[in-house]
Amino acid sequence: MPMTLGYWDIRGLAHAIHLLLEYTDTSYKEKRYTMGDAPDYDRSQWLSEKFKLGLDFPNLPYLIDGAHKITQSNAILRYIAHKHNLCEWLLIGAMPNTVETGHSVREFVGEGSDSCFLSQEKLKLEYLEQLPGMMKLFSEFLGKQPWFVGDKGLKKISAYMKSSHFLPTPLYTKVATWGNK
């Protein structure tokens, strides 16, 4: 029986999960929730199901694999990696904890997306101030290796990105941009 991955109809936080599912040749189906246009963003499609799925901590993304029901993108990545004995992908879980700025990679990316969605000048400035330091840490972590977690699945991931399952636009097209208020 295929796993079910639930998320908004954007790449967002589920993108890495899609890549790992493709990399592992895991059978899965998607439950994509649509959201209305800005500025109201009608979330009723998700909210009508949120507490009916049996999730301990109902949130998006979620993964249902038989009796296993997992939320939060990093937990889902760890679950899939552990299920397929992929120690190199478990590095994804360790990397955020090595960032010396006091922010995990998830927090860092989240702050950047928050500043885009919320158009808050203070958030934008804080994010942009942290960006060079974060990029330096990523660069040092990579060192001389070409990829963060190996290159075994690059052909599979490339094929997925060329498939109809891949959403070519990462965000809604009507989202406020940094230059707009």
Side-chain angles (χ1 to χ4, degrees):
M1 183 165 165
M3 295 181 183
T4 300
L5 175 63
Y7 193 61
W8 299 113
D9 59 352
I10 62 173
R11 279 190 273 167
L13 297 175
H15 186 59
I17 299 166
H18 282 113
L19 295 177
L20 186 53
L21 289 168
E22 293 293 326
Y23 175 78
T24 57
D25 289 324
T26 300
S27 175
Y28 71 99
K29 62 182 181 178
E30 294 182 78
K31 171 63 179 177
R32 291 185 180 164
Y33 297 92
T34 58
M35 185 183 296
D37 292 333
D40 298 325
Y41 298 115
D42 175 17
R43 301 180 313 147
S44 61
Q45 189 182 32
W46 160 240
L47 295 176
S48 68
E49 290 187 14
K50 183 175 182 175
F51 296 104
K52 297 176 183 175
L53 297 170
L55 303 168
D56 290 329
F57 302 98
N59 205 352
L60 294 174
Y62 65 78
L63 182 77
I64 298 175
D65 182 19
H68 301 283
K69 298 180 178 187
I70 307 148
T71 57
Q72 305 297 342
S73 53
N74 284 336
I76 294 169
L77 286 168
R78 287 184 188 109
Y79 172 80
I80 297 166
H82 186 267
K83 184 173 181 156
H84 293 278
N85 197 26
L86 295 172
C87 294
E88 65 195 30
W89 276 89
L90 290 176
L91 180 59
I92 291 172
M95 191 172 66
N97 297 323
T98 63
V99 177
E100 298 170 11
T101 63
H103 293 288
S104 71
V105 172
R106 168 68 184 97
E107 289 170 329
F108 177 73
V109 171
E111 287 173 4
S113 64
D114 286 350
S115 63
C116 292
F117 285 117
L118 301 176
S119 297
Q120 294 183 7
E121 204 59 38
K122 182 181 177 199
L123 285 176
K124 287 187 256 182
L125 292 174
E126 289 174 5
Y127 177 79
L128 291 173
E129 286 174 7
Q130 295 175 13
L131 189 59
M134 186 61 70
M135 292 299 110
K136 182 176 187 269
L137 291 172
F138 291 154
S139 179
E140 289 172 357
F141 180 83
L142 272 173
K144 295 183 191 284
Q145 55 191 36
W147 307 100
F148 280 107
V149 291
D151 61 358
K152 288 182 188 176
L154 292 179
K155 288 181 183 175
K156 291 178 185 178
I157 289 170
S158 176
Y160 162 71
M161 292 177 78
K162 293 173 185 169
S163 77
S164 62
H165 294 291
F166 179 72
L167 294 168
T169 306
L171 301 172
Y172 291 102
T173 56
K174 296 183 181 182
V175 174
T177 60
W178 283 13
N180 298 335
K181 292 187 179 182

